[in-house]
Amino acid sequence: SKDTEKVSSISDNAYLESKEVQGQAVGSTSSDANQDVPTLAFPSISTSDFQFNHEKAADIIVDKVVEFSNKIGNARLVLVDLTHKSKILSLVKAKAAEKNVDTQKFFTHVGDITHLYSTGGLRCNVIANAANWRLKPGGGGVNAAIFNAAGSELEYATKEKAKSLSPGNAIFVPLPSSSPLFTREGVTHVIHVLGPNMNPQRPNYLNNDYNKGCKILQDAYAALFEGFVSILR
Ligand code: AR6
């Protein structure tokens, strides 16, 4: 249920904080020792409503993180999902460990991407959205959550940038400072990403073609991380 998830996410964050406090300068009062480090939080693109294979997606995420980890300077990348039971988080964690990915630069986090700072104490100035091709609110999943939390400001700012997105692409949208996501969470940019779709009920259905699907997911993460890099500059 929602309540148990909330409780477990709070206890996980308490654990995370106590771990961070150990390595942090005495006298610092912030819950996130790396508050000022630019951080991109992103959901696993395409693996829920779009039904993309989790093993394949996990390989692609870790490969792209490795590829970009030397292009982001001291910034951080954080893969987020709602629950500890998340299969994609476990897979990515294991694969990242196998490849000795630097855990300061990349880690996984359990929590709601719209409440990372207020509930989780994790500062992320940029968050990614697993969008739909119309770049519209609603539709469930992380897209609905982000558009709801950001208010109409995000809808307007998105419309100014683009009217649609094709699979494998991303656009970044500066968030107006009046948006609740900006004021409460410290989010300054949202990057909309459109991943490959393996759900027959959704547009651009790939009919289980994982040759195309993997290529599109690789492009999607490359576009996402490039977007983050251009915000950093
Ligand atoms: N915080 C963190 N992670 C979340 C949240 C949240 N609030 N909500 C969902 N996730 P999905 P897709 C995780 O289905 O598969 C939309 O309707 C979720 O557990 O949101 O790319 C759009 O309009 C999963 O790991 O995106 C598109 O039409 C990940 O976010 C379509 O769904 C992505 O799940 C896109 O499907």
Side-chain angles (χ1 to χ4, degrees):
S1 77
K2 264 246 153 83
D3 282 341
T4 19
E5 274 170 24
K6 231 183 192 152
V7 168
S8 59
S9 115
I10 287 165
S11 63
D12 185 55
N13 289 317
Y15 167 73
L16 201 140
E17 276 175 34
S18 69
K19 258 183 57 180
E20 282 186 344
V21 167
Q22 288 168 14
Q24 177 185 337
V26 181
S28 170
T29 51
S30 80
S31 57
D32 184 356
N34 298 303
Q35 274 234 31
D36 299 325
V37 178
T39 305
L40 166 70
F42 63 99
S44 168
I45 307 299
S46 290
T47 53
S48 183
D49 189 48
F50 278 178
Q51 301 176 6
F52 198 92
N53 177 276
H54 283 51
E55 277 283 346
K56 290 183 171 54
D59 284 330
I60 290 169
I61 291 169
V62 174
D63 286 349
K64 282 294 159 189
V65 163
V66 168
E67 191 184 321
F68 274 83
S69 61
N70 55 2
K71 298 181 187 168
I72 59 167
N74 69 334
R76 307 185 293 184
L77 304 172
V78 184
L79 176 67
V80 177
D81 202 355
L82 286 167
T83 137
H84 283 93
K85 293 181 192 132
S86 167
K87 193 179 140 204
I88 193 75
L89 282 197
S90 314
L91 286 168
V92 166
K93 234 178 169 168
K95 288 176 195 288
E98 261 170 42
K99 295 205 168 181
N100 292 313
V101 176
D102 181 350
T103 54
Q104 297 267 57
K105 275 192 161 173
F106 173 69
F107 53 92
T108 62
H109 180 83
V110 176
D112 184 331
I113 202 161
T114 65
H115 285 79
L116 291 174
Y117 186 61
S118 59
T119 305
L122 182 68
R123 266 284 186 193
C124 300
N125 60 321
V126 185
I127 63 171
N129 177 30
N132 53 58
W133 74 276
R134 287 179 198 275
L135 295 168
K136 291 277 187 186
V142 75
N143 183 72
I146 290 176
F147 273 101
N148 279 336
S152 52
E153 284 92 337
L154 178 60
E155 215 184 320
Y156 296 136
T158 300
K159 266 189 201 143
E160 271 175 28
K161 271 249 159 169
K163 298 213 159 36
S164 65
L165 202 58
S166 48
N169 287 283
I171 53 156
F172 72 83
V173 177
L175 199 57
S177 57
S178 54
S179 166
L181 261 193
F182 189 114
T183 48
R184 188 187 66 220
E185 307 297 329
V187 174
T188 63
H189 294 77
V190 174
I191 306 181
H192 298 294
V193 192
L194 184 62
N197 170 37
M198 295 299 182
N199 179 348
Q201 323 279 15
R202 299 285 179 267
N204 301 304
Y205 172 49
L206 286 172
N207 199 7
N208 221 37
D209 183 347
Y210 273 96
N211 286 324
K212 273 191 196 152
C214 288
K215 171 79 172 60
I216 293 171
L217 195 60
Q218 286 161 354
D219 289 349
Y221 280 107
L224 167 60
F225 296 155
E226 270 156 19
F228 180 52
V229 168
S230 59
I231 291 166
L232 291 174
R233 288 206 198 101

